[in-house]
Amino acid sequence: MKSRQKKESIILCDTNHVLSSDYSEVIVVGAGADAVDYKLISICHRGDIVVSQDYGVAAMALGKNAYAIHQSGKWYTNENIDQMLMERHLNKKARRASGKKHLRGPRKRTSEDDEHFRESFEKMIHMAMDKEN
């Protein structure tokens, strides 16, 4: 019988933020462009679950056979990531062509958003654990 080792939870942030956590290890990296993203991918392993709103980070996590989920609860998969990256590219191209540099940010997060993420995240954890066995 394979023994199950406890996986730790890690939160990454750059030096522009101050975070503390009672349940996770907090790793602080330099404030350079994409420094947190590159650190995340460098410590990511097969079977890990990555929470990110960045499609590029999700694609790199999937490339390492990890799981990736958006903060909305949407799963990134090998079946949908290419289309998501293409849409991101086309949207960026359209913004550059129109001269718009700043778009309105996302709407404020609601308790329903939190509940949807929780349900989707728990489902992903169970699926990952089932595949591990």
Side-chain angles (χ1 to χ4, degrees), residues 12 29 35-45 60 64:
L12 294 169
V29 299
V36 170
D37 297 343
Y38 293 126
K39 178 65 176 178
L40 171 64
I41 295 306
S42 76
I43 64 175
C44 180
H45 298 287
M60 289 187 283
K64 293 188 91 170

Side-chain angles (χ1 to χ4, degrees), residues 2-100:
K2 182 178 172 185
S3 68
R4 180 173 300 228
Q5 74 182 55
K6 183 180 177 185
K7 291 235 177 183
E8 62 185 64
S9 173
I10 298 173
I11 297 174
L12 294 169
C13 68
D14 65 26
T15 54
N16 293 319
H17 299 87
V18 177
L19 296 177
S20 63
S21 175
D22 293 334
Y23 60 88
S24 296
E25 176 186 358
V26 176
I27 298 176
V28 180
V29 299
D34 300 323
V36 170
D37 297 343
Y38 293 126
K39 178 65 176 178
L40 171 64
I41 295 306
S42 76
I43 64 175
C44 180
H45 298 287
R46 175 186 197 92
D48 287 350
I49 298 176
V50 172
V51 180
S52 179
Q53 64 184 7
D54 186 296
Y55 297 171
V57 169
M60 289 187 283
L62 292 172
K64 293 188 91 170
N65 292 312
Y67 302 96
I69 185 172
H70 188 275
Q71 65 193 19
S72 69
K74 181 174 179 64
W75 291 17
Y76 300 104
T77 66
N78 289 322
E79 289 74 32
N80 69 12
I81 195 66
D82 286 339
Q83 179 179 351
M84 295 169 93
L85 289 167
M86 180 57 77
E87 287 173 5
R88 178 182 75 165
H89 169 71
L90 294 173
N91 289 336
K92 185 176 183 180
K93 195 172 174 181
R95 282 193 306 274
R96 274 190 296 207
S98 71
K100 288 186 180 179

Side-chain angles (χ1 to χ4, degrees), residues 110-122:
T110 66
S111 58
E112 290 83 14
D113 294 332
D114 293 342
E115 180 62 21
H116 181 258
F117 174 78
R118 185 191 64 75
E119 290 172 0
S120 185
F121 188 58
E122 284 181 3

